[in-house]
Amino acid sequence: GNSVTQMEGPVTLSEEAFLTINCTYTATGYPSLFWYVQYPGEGLQLLLKATKADDKGSNKGFEATYRKETTSFHLEKGSVQVSDSAVYFCALSDKDTGNQFYFGTGTSLTVIP
Amino acid sequence: NAGVMQNPRHLVRRRGQEARLRCSPMKGHSHVYWYRQLPEEGLKFMVYLQKENIIDESGMPKERFSAEFPKEGPSILRIQQVVRGDSAAYFCASSLTSGRTDTQYFGPGTRLTVL
């Protein structure tokens, strides 16, 4: 079946530090991969996505590369800001098994000045 | 272009009451999805609807939960005879089509508290 595994949180970083949030997946077909961000009290916002192997999604300084050989989609940012504090969710969509998204459990990030 | 709208944002019910959650998809979107987020967990799929049709309800509890997406008006997620375990955040998402690469856009959620 389909599933997404994210690194456990919470993660606390100082401003301007490098960020990596690991995400690996299991899929029966050829999934699309997504990162969503959830700010306190709000819904999920799409951060970036990649729809095939070796694609790199990027947005607002964040990036992630679809690695089929390691079934991974790790999120990275070179220099985090306080405003990046949020919960980050990795997700996959696999049309072969339906229209639902499969989400990881989320990784909470706190950036301190 | 307004995003996905959900109301109410917060809903408090006593055990045994009914909860009705509403979702208006983004303009032009005819595909609606409901997810539930329990505390400290990720989102779990509940149901996928198109106008007037339930396409996939594999994530819906068999009893007390129902969903609809009428020809006119918002999608409704209905929970009858709520119990404390129903306390969660319920998110609605919509998409333009249902392809593998399509993005689902999420609303702000309804936070249900059952006393």
Side-chain angles (χ1 to χ4, degrees):
Chain A
N2 296 326
S3 66
V4 174
T5 302
Q6 280 182 244
M7 65 182 283
E8 294 286 331
V11 174
T12 302
L13 295 173
S14 297
E15 209 166 18
E16 299 184 3
F18 184 85
L19 168 70
T20 299
I21 300 178
N22 290 338
C23 170
T24 57
Y25 67 89
T26 303
T28 54
Y30 297 95
S32 293
L33 301 172
F34 303 78
W35 277 101
Y36 283 85
V37 57
Q38 184 180 32
Y39 297 101
E42 298 184 10
L44 278 69
Q45 300 175 25
L46 176 68
L47 184 59
L48 54 84
K49 75 179 196 182
T51 60
K52 61 183 188 297
D54 300 325
D55 269 2
K56 177 186 284 188
S58 60
N59 185 26
K60 300 180 181 178
F62 291 90
E63 58 182 36
T65 301
Y66 187 141
R67 301 282 187 205
K68 191 167 184 236
E69 63 276 13
T70 54
T71 61
S72 65
F73 193 54
H74 303 322
L75 182 68
E76 295 182 336
K77 186 175 185 183
S79 176
V80 293
Q81 305 301 314
V82 172
S83 58
D84 294 327
S85 298
V87 180
Y88 292 80
F89 291 94
C90 185
L92 74 82
S93 168
D94 183 354
K95 184 68 162 70
D96 291 344
T97 57
N99 293 282
Q100 62 179 283
F101 274 33
Y102 296 83
F103 284 88
T105 53
T107 301
S108 174
L109 170 67
T110 300
V111 180
I112 54 177
Chain B
N1 188 10
V4 178
M5 309 289 285
Q6 288 188 251
N7 68 80
R9 294 290 304 272
H10 299 275
L11 182 62
V12 179
R13 286 288 179 265
R14 296 189 181 280
R15 281 180 297 169
Q17 291 184 320
E18 179 180 286
R20 281 184 179 243
L21 289 62
R22 295 175 183 75
C23 167
S24 296
M26 285 181 70
K27 187 176 181 181
H29 287 192
S30 59
H31 301 263
V32 166
Y33 313 80
W34 285 93
Y35 293 81
R36 177 164 61 177
Q37 183 181 31
L38 294 170
E40 309 301 322
E41 295 187 14
L43 278 71
K44 302 294 185 186
F45 169 80
M46 299 180 75
V47 62
Y48 160 47
L49 310 100
Q50 294 181 32
K51 282 288 186 181
E52 299 186 274
N53 291 303
I54 296 174
I55 307 301
D56 180 357
E57 55 182 350
S58 59
M60 286 274 273
K62 292 291 184 280
E63 297 178 351
R64 301 188 298 108
F65 285 72
S66 62
E68 62 177 9
F69 189 16
K71 187 176 180 182
E72 302 291 337
S75 175
I76 306 286
L77 179 68
R78 182 182 177 202
I79 312 172
Q80 295 178 289
Q81 300 177 323
V82 296
V83 301
R84 289 218 172 100
D86 297 332
S87 294
Y90 292 83
F91 290 96
C92 169
S94 73
S95 65
L96 185 60
T97 62
S98 62
R100 180 183 64 84
T101 62
D102 289 322
T103 299
Q104 292 185 10
Y105 295 89
F106 284 79
T110 294
R111 281 154 181 83
L112 172 66
T113 301
V114 179
L115 301 178

